[in-house]
Amino acid sequence: MSSLNDKLAAALSSREKRHIRRRLPVSASPVLPSADFTSNDYLSLATSSTLRTAFQHALSTAPQILGSGGSRLLVPTPAHLALESFDANVAFFSAIPQPGDVILYDEHIHASVHDGMGASRVDSSSLIKFPHNSVVALKRSLRKLLHERDDLRDGRASAFVAVESLYSMDGTFAPLREIVQCVEELLPKRNGYVIVDEAHATGIYGPQGRGMVAALGLEGRVLARLHTFGKALAGSGAAILTTELIRDYLLNYARPLIYTTTLTYANIIAVECAFDMLEDGSAEVTQLALHLLDLSRYFLELLRPHLQSAPPELLCLPGHLRADDHKDPTNTPSDASFPPPTPIIPLLTPHPHSLAAHLASLSQPLFTKAITWPTVPVGTSRVRVCLHAGHTRDDAWLAREREVARQWLDVAEGEGVGAWMESKL
Ligand SMILES: Cc1ncc(COP(=O)(O)O)c(C=O)c1O
């Protein structure tokens, strides 16, 4: 074997030994929507007959439906005007922050933001991580920077703050109001900019599924919002909602946008059909989103009492989902609905592969995702359950009855967990 092959094989084998090697999922038959607790098809639009019919009709009347044939800069068609296909986070963070600027980012921010920051012209010493959702820590870092740097104090340099509105691995919501307020207060020269990745909130929260920024009325106070179409909207691609100036700058400087073949026409048409469903606020999608939130609340209520009796080192919910009193007591009455229910429910366990394999092997299989380092921090491996609007309360039976709960909790033979579970249930 060549030296390169040796090195690559050794890296994979090391991952294999540590049970963190990634593989493509294999399944002999298609996963039924009711058994899919893995995908981010939150509104179940990927299997919606309404969307399918609208899409088929739109395809049959569209002038072009296949490949775009080139980069967005080469494709003059109106179909692509509002929607783009590119790695939006990489494009934004690699292009917009300028030399001398700083980026403060939540420690759980998505990998694509890291890729963008790594490719940016910001010095690596000015990429500053703050603990997950900690406004106190963000404030502390900003104060320190302001103390040290007069270019930030007088507005010559900018500070960007990168967060997700709903975190994909944790199901936590960023305290967006507090973050925006903190940035505005500490940087009164208006050189502080909040960027919100709404990938997992798009379609579900806010009026017509416009996301958490819109739900909280913060549209005018964040610099950019990233909405992806690959999750609740059953398509692919992304849009960045931002200023005209930033849009034009991205068109000139964002390499992932300039040098990537843009979306196919069919993809644009599919996303437009999904948007039509969202915009028609009276209808189906609103009901789907409401059902999803109701299901998310219900599922947690069922799960909590069962997990309370499990040894937390073997299986537990993360802190923010453990009790119903997780709402911030300092919230004003108008904030009573924050945080809303989350369809992303992590089950923390040191045996995520065993638990996921066990769930998939049930007579009525449940497909979930085992998630380990490096996707999540060391010591926080988990099985992630993603609920969808297409699930019913019967699918969310996780803790509905003793027998089924036992199956979920019976993590693995030979790891001592099974015996413990048996004695408890
Ligand atoms: C938080 C977040 N941002 C951005 C993306 C990128 O979205 P896409 O895969 O549609 O490019 C993802 C995808 O997993 C994500 O979870």
Side-chain angles (χ1 to χ4, degrees):
M1 240 205 288
S2 73
S3 158
L4 174 64
N5 285 353
D6 285 346
K7 287 174 189 164
L8 303 185
L12 288 175
S13 137
S14 159
R15 283 207 160 177
E16 183 82 52
K17 284 193 199 107
R18 290 177 289 149
H19 308 289
I20 56 169
R21 179 167 169 171
R22 293 186 170 109
R23 285 201 160 80
L24 293 176
V26 275
S27 171
S29 46
V31 172
L32 289 176
S34 63
D36 170 21
F37 291 85
T38 301
S39 79
N40 299 133
D41 180 25
Y42 297 115
L43 295 177
S44 297
L45 289 190
T47 51
S48 151
S49 56
T50 311
L51 181 56
R52 189 189 180 95
T53 306
F55 180 45
Q56 283 170 338
H57 175 72
L59 280 181
S60 66
T61 53
Q64 277 176 287
I65 61 170
L66 295 176
S68 58
S71 152
R72 181 63 185 88
L73 292 169
L74 301 176
V75 179
T77 159
H80 287 71
L81 268 186
L83 310 175
E84 304 295 354
S85 160
F86 61 107
D87 195 328
N89 274 329
V90 178
F92 187 92
F93 285 96
S94 63
I96 299 299
Q98 303 292 309
D101 289 348
V102 296
I103 307 178
L104 299 106
Y105 62 94
D106 188 287
E107 64 180 336
H108 289 188
I109 200 78
H110 192 254
S112 52
V113 173
H114 282 280
D115 291 346
M117 293 191 300
S120 77
R121 286 169 291 164
V122 173
D123 191 84
S124 60
S125 63
S126 294
L127 303 177
I128 298 162
K129 176 165 79 177
F130 59 90
H132 183 48
N133 274 349
S134 172
V135 183
V136 171
L138 172 64
K139 221 174 247 178
R140 201 182 306 126
S141 290
L142 273 173
R143 285 214 175 99
K144 183 164 178 287
L145 284 164
L146 287 162
H147 179 70
E148 291 165 357
R149 292 188 41 176
D150 55 359
D151 57 349
L152 275 176
R153 278 198 305 276
D154 65 23
R156 276 176 294 130
S158 305
F160 293 84
V161 176
V163 296
E164 287 176 44
S165 52
L166 171 58
Y167 283 85
S168 57
M169 294 298 151
D170 305 286
T172 41
F173 290 89
L176 288 177
R177 269 204 203 96
E178 291 78 0
I179 288 171
V180 166
Q181 202 178 335
C182 158
V183 169
E184 288 173 350
E185 273 173 21
L186 292 186
L187 296 149
K189 303 269 184 204
R190 305 180 71 92
N191 55 330
Y193 300 105
V194 179
I195 321 299
V196 185
D197 183 337
E198 297 255 33
H200 292 267
T202 303
I204 308 172
Y205 302 97
Q208 297 166 311
R210 288 165 193 256
M212 283 306 296
V213 170
L216 297 169
L218 299 172
E219 295 97 319
R221 296 166 71 189
V222 305
L223 179 67
R225 291 176 264 166
L226 170 81
H227 292 277
T228 62
F229 311 134
K231 304 187 190 303
L233 301 192
S236 66
I240 295 178
L241 305 188
T242 187
T243 65
E244 189 82 20
L245 176 66
I246 288 193
R247 174 185 181 277
D248 286 348
Y249 189 90
L250 288 172
L251 283 175
N252 279 278
Y253 291 96
R255 298 170 68 86
L257 167 61
I258 299 165
Y259 298 112
T260 305
T261 302
T262 192
L263 292 169
T264 64
Y265 293 94
N267 206 323
I268 296 283
I269 293 166
V271 174
E272 278 175 350
C273 291
F275 275 154
D276 286 346
M277 285 180 75
L278 285 179
E279 272 172 14
D280 179 6
S282 63
E284 209 173 317
V285 165
T286 311
Q287 292 312 315
L288 290 174
L290 288 175
H291 172 61
L292 177 66
L293 298 187
D294 176 59
L295 200 63
S296 304
R297 201 182 292 113
Y298 174 73
F299 184 81
L300 254 190
E301 277 167 15
L302 292 175
L303 198 54
R304 268 196 202 116
H306 285 273
L307 292 188
Q308 260 163 17
S309 60
E313 67 280 10
L314 288 179
L315 189 64
C316 68
L317 287 166
H320 69 282
L321 296 180
R322 244 171 255 161
D324 204 17
D325 59 6
H326 62 278
K327 289 178 192 288
D328 181 351
T330 61
N331 278 350
T332 60
S334 65
D335 291 330
S337 59
F338 188 88
T342 168
I344 302 172
I345 299 174
L347 303 174
L348 301 179
T349 171
H351 310 294
H353 296 289
S354 309
L355 179 56
H358 177 72
L359 296 171
S361 70
L362 297 174
S363 55
Q364 284 189 313
L366 298 168
F367 294 99
T368 56
K369 180 89 181 126
I371 298 172
T372 60
W373 180 89
T375 305
V376 292
V378 171
T380 68
S381 60
R382 64 200 64 186
V383 162
R384 184 178 62 162
V385 177
C386 286
L387 298 174
H388 302 154
H391 293 140
T392 62
R393 285 198 171 206
D394 276 346
D395 297 320
W397 43 252
L398 171 54
R400 191 187 51 170
E401 54 180 285
R402 207 176 153 88
E403 177 54 23
V404 182
R406 191 190 65 74
Q407 292 180 317
W408 273 80
L409 296 172
D410 186 1
V411 178
E413 286 292 326
E415 281 165 347
V417 187
W420 179 85
M421 297 292 175
E422 289 294 337
S423 70
K424 291 284 174 199
L425 295 166

